[in-house]
Amino acid sequence: MAQVDIPWNDSPQLRLWARRFGVRDLITIYIATGKDRYLLATILTQLTQIFGEHLEEYWPIIVQISVKAGRRCELILSFGLPWAAEMIRDKQSLIKVGNEIVLLGELIIVNKRAQDSFRTVLNQFQLAFPDDVETYWPELIESSKLADKRYRFYLLQYGLPCVKDLIHDKDSFRNIFWDLVELGKASGTNAMAIFQFSLPAAKTLFENQFAEHWSYLVKLGRAAANNANDLFLHGLPVVKGLWNDDLESLMRHLNQWVQLGADAAFWKEYTQLMQWIKDQSEG
């Protein structure tokens, strides 16, 4: 401990905190947050405002969370715990939610550049489910484990908010999230584009029929694999007009074509696609 130098003398507030919480624990958090005393003071002030008279009771748990968070400690303490404050009512909920915040940080913050991604995901989740954050929070944590790290962030930032209207309870949350995982898995290197561009485009295209045709879209996306982005962005808009009054038929015919094994070049040959569908509809 003697080798860690915190300049207490010119910070009366840090001296007070050292007396209140103990030098050893304060140094533990100081090291975990990058040895930045100004950041340490900011975090302690924030935690005091959030937990108030319960801070001393919660302090040993907060220290444990800090150690477990490792290099992500700064973000977990300065943003994660404050964000989740309404779900924390006692020591047990602090342990549970604190560990879940740390786990989500591990899943999202894969490098230093991804620190902003953590804030973005939590804020997007809150915007998507403003009245159900606590209800869907355990589902978010468990479901996020299923997504590959290559597209997990894009699924959470873009994919999940896009399909929020399809989610009405915990079961539908899990089912829809799994659909997104399957789309990401099938799309391979194009997964980012699927969540950021293709799904929002399909939602706009089908408007109030998006929910009705969601299962068809998932099947098409899985079958089209790496070509799903071209299918959603270019193929669907071209052929949708042929079935303005019968979108179910449109989806069925598209799915049949995908099952035949259309290659990547196919989705750019719109004339061939339209002719094939017309032939099928007249057959």
Side-chain angles (χ1 to χ4, degrees):
M1 289 293 178
Q3 295 178 354
V4 179
D5 179 28
I6 304 180
W8 311 98
N9 293 334
D10 57 345
S11 177
Q13 187 62 65
L14 282 178
R15 291 202 303 272
L16 287 174
W17 273 317
R19 287 196 293 269
R20 181 180 179 185
F21 300 117
V23 172
R24 180 179 295 274
D25 284 347
L26 210 61
I27 288 179
T28 297
I29 295 183
Y30 173 68
I31 294 172
T33 52
K35 297 183 180 180
D36 183 331
R37 74 186 183 101
Y38 297 105
L39 175 61
L40 175 64
T42 299
I43 288 174
L44 290 173
T45 299
Q46 197 171 20
L47 292 175
T48 300
Q49 293 171 346
I50 294 169
F51 297 123
E53 62 183 16
H54 298 290
L55 183 57
E56 288 181 275
E57 177 187 2
Y58 292 166
W59 182 252
I61 301 172
I62 292 172
V63 174
Q64 291 173 9
I65 292 172
S66 302
V67 173
K68 187 173 183 178
R71 62 185 176 85
R72 305 174 184 87
C73 177
E74 172 192 343
L75 202 55
I76 299 302
L77 293 185
S78 66
F79 184 81
L81 284 183
W83 181 90
E86 292 187 6
M87 294 189 285
I88 298 171
R89 302 179 182 88
D90 51 33
K91 290 194 289 188
Q92 287 303 114
S93 60
L94 174 59
I95 293 171
K96 179 179 181 297
V97 173
N99 286 331
E100 289 169 341
I101 286 283
V102 170
L103 174 58
L104 190 64
E106 292 173 353
L107 293 173
I108 296 174
I109 310 171
V110 295
N111 53 51
K112 289 184 177 180
R113 293 177 299 174
Q115 292 196 12
D116 287 340
S117 302
F118 182 72
R119 297 185 182 92
T120 299
V121 165
L122 289 179
N123 286 334
Q124 287 289 76
F125 180 67
Q126 191 167 42
L127 287 173
F129 307 103
D131 300 321
D132 298 299
V133 168
E134 189 164 2
T135 299
Y136 295 144
W137 172 252
E139 312 306 321
L140 176 72
I141 299 302
E142 289 304 310
S143 297
S144 295
K145 298 176 186 178
L146 304 174
D148 190 278
K149 65 180 181 180
R150 293 173 299 175
Y151 59 79
R152 183 184 294 122
F153 167 66
Y154 300 100
L155 185 159
L156 294 172
Q157 181 180 7
Y158 301 109
L160 187 60
C162 182
V163 298
K164 63 180 181 180
D165 295 332
L166 308 183
I167 296 172
H168 310 292
D169 52 31
K170 291 184 177 182
D171 286 339
S172 59
F173 187 102
R174 288 191 292 268
N175 292 335
I176 296 298
F177 199 102
W178 179 248
D179 287 340
L180 294 175
V181 169
E182 289 288 285
L183 282 174
K185 188 187 304 182
S187 302
T189 56
N190 292 325
M192 177 188 74
I194 284 290
F195 297 127
Q196 188 169 358
F197 305 112
S198 302
L199 282 185
K203 183 178 182 179
T204 300
L205 183 67
F206 291 106
E207 298 178 327
N208 59 349
Q209 293 176 306
F210 181 65
E212 178 184 351
H213 296 291
W214 171 250
S215 61
Y216 281 110
L217 288 168
V218 173
K219 290 177 182 177
L220 284 169
R222 289 175 60 188
N226 285 335
N227 304 320
N229 192 47
D230 284 333
L231 167 65
F232 286 165
L233 287 180
H234 307 300
L236 289 180
V238 168
V239 300
K240 179 177 179 291
L242 297 175
W243 271 275
N244 285 329
D245 299 323
D246 191 3
L247 286 176
E248 184 174 347
S249 178
L250 163 65
M251 289 299 196
R252 186 170 62 253
H253 284 299
L254 277 175
N255 191 53
Q256 288 172 356
W257 179 262
V258 170
Q259 294 300 329
L260 290 177
D263 59 24
F266 165 78
W267 301 115
K268 298 180 181 179
E269 298 172 2
Y270 302 135
T271 302
Q272 180 184 355
L273 173 60
M274 293 172 69
Q275 185 61 53
W276 184 85
I277 293 177
K278 286 180 181 178
D279 292 343
Q280 291 294 312
S281 65
E282 294 170 359

